[in-house]
Amino acid sequence: MRLPRIARTVLEPRRFRMQPDFPSAPALADALIVDPFYLAISVDHAHDMPRRKAVLADYFAYSLGEAARTGRFLAAEDVRLGAAAWLLPRSEAVDAAESAAKSEYLAATLGPRGHDNYRRIVDFMAARSPAVVPAHAWYLSILGISPAAQGRGLGARLLAPTLAEADAAGVPCFLETFTPRSVAFYERLGFRGEAEHLEPVTNSGYLIMCRPARQQSAANGENK
């Protein structure tokens, strides 16, 4: 099967509602709605499931745009089935602009409780990752596959191009997961658990997983 396409669209940081540029967003909402983090940031819409999923799809569209601007955005060949978003190290100026735009967007989109939950959760996690994550590591921010398309290997194929790129560049990768059943999947791709914490807003444990760069064979380009 062919590898998923890599989107490298250059976008300006701004607040926006879900746009056709990111038709993968609804699949991400369907796949990740049960994750404690996403439940917490959509809590203002807890009694209206269609609205809750729409808000999360909006959030994912923004996040995919951020990845397209400052990292890697990859969509499945059928873009309606899922996507992956990576954030790469960025300059202080770019980080400040992206953070300000995202804060404005979240305040307008998630609702007051969801926005506050987002800030508290992210602040908690950001304070703990530097102890185990190299400063120059690439961050797998989001991976989601439509529930109807899971079990076909789409997730691994979505991650393969960026993992290969990271290996070629000699840089490590990391992720944070609230989902215990996903751990074995990431372990098969070379990630290993480095630290586990109980996040107080969700009252849920999450695992920080890191993947060192794999050495490449100069002769045949295969991983060692």
Side-chain angles (χ1 to χ4, degrees):
M1 294 185 181
R2 289 180 291 176
L3 291 174
R5 295 173 294 170
I6 301 176
R8 298 183 184 277
T9 308
V10 177
L11 303 171
E12 294 296 324
R14 60 191 175 91
R15 177 167 58 84
F16 62 92
R17 293 290 175 179
M18 191 182 74
Q19 298 190 11
D21 291 335
F22 300 103
S24 307
L28 298 181
D30 286 339
L32 300 173
I33 183 67
V34 297
D35 184 290
F37 173 78
Y38 297 114
L39 287 174
I41 69 171
S42 61
V43 67
D44 293 84
H45 312 284
H47 300 297
D48 184 347
M49 183 58 71
R51 175 60 183 159
R52 189 173 204 169
K53 284 191 175 183
V55 166
L56 284 177
D58 219 16
Y59 169 87
F60 287 124
Y62 189 96
S63 299
L64 295 178
E66 183 182 17
R69 291 188 296 273
T70 67
R72 300 291 183 268
F73 158 57
L74 298 93
E77 186 172 350
D78 181 344
V79 296
R80 299 168 299 174
L81 298 183
W86 294 80
L87 297 179
L88 275 58
R90 53 200 190 191
S91 69
E92 290 185 8
V94 170
D95 189 64
E98 288 289 343
S99 296
K102 192 167 190 175
S103 180
E104 179 188 1
Y105 161 79
L106 293 177
T109 302
L110 296 180
R113 289 183 296 163
H115 184 208
D116 183 61
N117 284 346
Y118 177 90
R119 179 186 56 79
R120 291 164 60 197
I121 295 170
V122 169
D123 286 351
F124 179 90
M125 297 170 75
R128 284 152 182 80
S129 61
V132 295
V133 176
H136 61 296
W138 294 6
Y139 177 47
L140 175 57
S141 174
I142 298 169
L143 173 65
I145 301 297
S146 172
Q150 291 177 8
R152 304 179 191 174
L154 293 179
R157 293 203 296 278
L158 274 174
L159 297 185
T162 309
L163 291 176
E165 186 182 358
D167 288 340
V171 297
C173 302
F174 82 103
L175 61 86
E176 297 156 315
T177 180
F178 282 85
T179 309
R181 66 184 178 86
S182 70
V183 172
F185 165 76
Y186 290 121
E187 286 179 338
R188 289 195 295 273
L189 299 177
F191 289 89
R192 295 293 179 265
E194 296 292 344
E196 189 168 8
H197 300 282
L198 180 67
E199 196 288 309
V201 173
T202 61
N203 194 34
S204 299
Y206 76 95
L207 182 66
I208 302 172
M209 303 186 75
C210 297
R211 179 186 184 274
R214 294 178 173 177
Q215 293 182 344
Q216 301 270 323
S217 168
N220 56 26
E222 294 180 353
N223 287 333
K224 291 183 177 179

